[in-house]
Amino acid sequence: MPRSSAVRFSHFIPSLLLLLAGLAAAYVKDLNVFFTSLFNVLPTLVLLLGGSYCAVYRRQRELFLMVTVYIAYFLLDTQTDYYRDNGKVREDAAVVFHLVCLLLPLLFGLFAAWQERTHLFQDMVARFAVLLAFGSVALGLEQSYPQALLMWLSEIRWPALHGAWMSLIQMSYPVFLSAFLLLAWQYWRNPRPLHAAQLVGLLGVFWMLPKTFILPFTLNIMCSQVMLMIAAAVAHEAYQMAFRDELTGLPGRRALNERMQRLGRNYVLAMSDVDHFKKFNDTHGHDVGDQVLRLVASKLSKISGGGRAYRYGGEEFALVFAGKTLEECMPHLEVIRESIASYNIQLRNQENRPQDDQQGRQRRGGSGASSVSVTVSIGVAERVEQRTPEDVLKSADQALYAAKGAGRNCVMAFGQNRRGAVRMDSAAG
């Protein structure tokens, strides 16, 4: 999965929008009957729909995250309902609230970082056992030693770290911080929409708890939003698996087919193929072959002139120029072809990989490592009257074969003869 700043930011967009929507709704005053009724049933509705969605796609980590948030909602909602109806809190409100403030971030961080690595049924049993163990111990202590437990929870253990602004028990702050750092590290190592949703969801929970008895329906709204973040992340990742190529990070064949249905009347399509890729793979191995495909994809993704690159399959890539003419696109295709041909790939021992980007640049600047280069052939076709996108793509594919027949490492338009191909003779193979 690509790790550019733009891609990383896109992981957070759905969750941040849901968080902002939840914050805005929580501060709305004088809600009418419709919204009051909606907020009362919204958490349960989200759990049923989102939980079923996660269960169908066997996303047990996400399912248990939602269940954990809902259990906290149920426990606190009982307290807030009593408070709204009677104007005072229940006798066990303090101990229940403090337990939730301690256990919710703990279990949220645990289930969020707990990846599925065993059989699905075994994983489900293990998660349920952990949830049951924490719940049973907490319930037993709350029922048997309520006052002693309350004193233990509310004790200020680090006076120097306690501030007047702290509205939660002191122990919950290091738990929240530890969970946040754990999830941030997890996202840094493996940027995914789910990991981004977990981080934003934890922030939403942290904001929600102090406002539980202060702002009406804060608990209902934010718990619903956090569960929606998790369900939306599952949908986001499902979309990426369907429409984005995992190796190169480019949009895949399905995304190309969808884009071709929305091209309008004027457009240019190009097909690109890595020259002698099978021979290169056999010589240097599939790991280096994958490195080459990622390099070519990275170069193609930066094409100028309004083009958009797609992974067509294997070593083939497609380029789409909407609203462009052939004459406008040819210079940009030639620039990207030359950029790929002039790039040297350093081959290093996999056991001696650089530890950071700076070390990698130093090694690339040295002479100790062997290097290879690859070239691409490009065929391009323009839409003409009474031609479908599929026909134009076939014409671009025919032009690609013509480019290979012309000596490779060149750009050839459909119907163009070999002499008219744009190529770099010294690098043609």
Side-chain angles (χ1 to χ4, degrees), residues 66-82:
M66 298 177 72
V67 169
T68 300
V69 173
Y70 187 82
I71 291 175
Y73 157 76
F74 177 79
L75 293 173
L76 294 181
D77 185 60
T78 303
Q79 303 291 337
T80 56
D81 283 346
Y82 185 89

Side-chain angles (χ1 to χ4, degrees), residues 114-165:
W114 185 347
Q115 300 183 20
E116 300 94 335
R117 296 189 181 276
T118 60
H119 189 275
L120 287 174
F121 180 75
Q122 295 175 349
D123 182 84
M124 182 180 67
V125 171
R127 291 174 191 270
F128 181 76
V130 169
L131 190 61
L132 182 63
F134 274 94
S136 300
V137 172
L139 179 62
L141 292 175
E142 191 273 332
Q143 293 292 320
S144 302
Y145 312 101
Q147 292 302 318
L149 180 60
L150 179 60
M151 291 180 61
W152 184 82
L153 289 170
S154 58
E155 179 184 353
I156 299 176
R157 291 170 170 75
W158 310 284
L161 300 178
H162 186 72
W165 56 270

Side-chain angles (χ1 to χ4, degrees), residues 21-32 35 39 215-218 221:
L23 294 176
Y27 282 103
V28 173
K29 297 181 179 180
D30 301 325
L31 294 170
N32 59 34
F35 284 104
F39 291 151
L215 292 177
F217 298 107
T218 296
I221 295 171

Side-chain angles (χ1 to χ4, degrees), residues 21 23 52 90 128 150 167 171 200 260 272 311 355 362 367 372 381 409:
L23 294 176
S52 300
R90 287 174 41 168
F128 181 76
L150 179 60
S167 50
M171 287 183 60
V200 179
M260 287 171 58
S272 174
R311 173 89 182 274
Q355 300 299 315
Q362 291 174 351
S367 58
V372 296
N409 189 25

Side-chain angles (χ1 to χ4, degrees), residues 80 95 217 227 277 315:
T80 56
V95 66
F217 298 107
M227 289 188 287
F277 184 72
E315 65 271 24

Side-chain angles (χ1 to χ4, degrees), residues 216-261:
F217 298 107
T218 296
L219 180 69
N220 307 58
I221 295 171
M222 193 52 65
C223 284
S224 301
Q225 297 300 85
V226 172
M227 289 188 287
L228 279 174
M229 292 176 197
I230 298 168
V234 175
H236 192 172
E237 293 192 347
Y239 174 86
Q240 285 192 331
M241 286 188 287
F243 289 91
R244 188 168 293 275
D245 177 61
E246 184 176 4
L247 175 64
T248 64
L250 291 178
R253 181 77 169 269
R254 184 173 297 178
L256 173 64
N257 293 337
E258 185 178 277
R259 182 70 180 93
M260 287 171 58
Q261 307 306 315

Side-chain angles (χ1 to χ4, degrees), residues 104-361:
L104 178 55
L106 178 64
L107 290 173
F108 191 94
L110 175 62
F111 285 134
W114 185 347
Q115 300 183 20
E116 300 94 335
R117 296 189 181 276
T118 60
H119 189 275
L120 287 174
F121 180 75
Q122 295 175 349
D123 182 84
M124 182 180 67
V125 171
R127 291 174 191 270
F128 181 76
V130 169
L131 190 61
L132 182 63
F134 274 94
S136 300
V137 172
L139 179 62
L141 292 175
E142 191 273 332
Q143 293 292 320
S144 302
Y145 312 101
Q147 292 302 318
L149 180 60
L150 179 60
M151 291 180 61
W152 184 82
L153 289 170
S154 58
E155 179 184 353
I156 299 176
R157 291 170 170 75
W158 310 284
L161 300 178
H162 186 72
W165 56 270
M166 292 183 176
S167 50
L168 302 177
I169 56 172
Q170 192 181 42
M171 287 183 60
S172 68
Y173 289 96
V175 176
F176 265 109
L177 180 61
S178 300
F180 183 83
L181 292 176
L182 175 63
L183 299 186
W185 177 75
Q186 177 181 245
Y187 179 81
W188 181 80
R189 289 192 61 194
N190 185 16
R192 290 175 51 186
L194 171 63
H195 296 163
Q198 293 168 352
L199 276 170
V200 179
L202 187 65
L203 291 177
V205 169
F206 182 72
W207 174 86
M208 171 195 74
L209 289 174
K211 306 291 192 301
T212 299
F213 292 95
I214 300 175
L215 292 177
F217 298 107
T218 296
L219 180 69
N220 307 58
I221 295 171
M222 193 52 65
C223 284
S224 301
Q225 297 300 85
V226 172
M227 289 188 287
L228 279 174
M229 292 176 197
I230 298 168
V234 175
H236 192 172
E237 293 192 347
Y239 174 86
Q240 285 192 331
M241 286 188 287
F243 289 91
R244 188 168 293 275
D245 177 61
E246 184 176 4
L247 175 64
T248 64
L250 291 178
R253 181 77 169 269
R254 184 173 297 178
L256 173 64
N257 293 337
E258 185 178 277
R259 182 70 180 93
M260 287 171 58
Q261 307 306 315
R262 301 180 280 106
L263 284 175
R265 295 180 60 84
N266 300 313
Y267 55 87
V268 172
L269 299 179
M271 288 293 293
S272 174
D273 183 273
V274 181
D275 296 329
H276 301 297
F277 184 72
K278 185 179 185 302
K279 180 179 179 181
F280 187 94
N281 242 358
D282 294 339
T283 303
H284 299 286
H286 291 285
D287 289 340
V288 179
D290 289 346
Q291 181 184 350
V292 167
L293 291 178
R294 283 192 289 265
L295 164 69
V296 173
S298 175
K299 295 290 185 181
L300 292 177
S301 68
K302 298 179 177 64
I303 190 167
S304 55
R308 182 75 185 273
Y310 297 81
R311 173 89 182 274
Y312 190 78
E315 65 271 24
E316 288 188 310
F317 300 87
L319 295 158
V320 177
F321 295 85
K324 301 292 182 180
T325 64
L326 183 63
E327 291 74 16
E328 292 174 327
C329 298
M330 289 295 282
H332 301 287
L333 291 170
E334 168 57 17
V335 168
I336 204 68
R337 179 205 62 77
E338 187 173 356
S339 173
I340 294 171
S342 61
Y343 189 91
N344 288 325
I345 304 173
Q346 303 295 328
L347 299 181
R348 294 183 296 268
N349 187 340
Q350 292 295 321
E351 298 178 356
N352 191 26
R353 298 284 297 175
Q355 300 299 315
D356 51 42
D357 292 340
Q358 182 179 0
Q359 186 178 0
R361 285 192 295 269

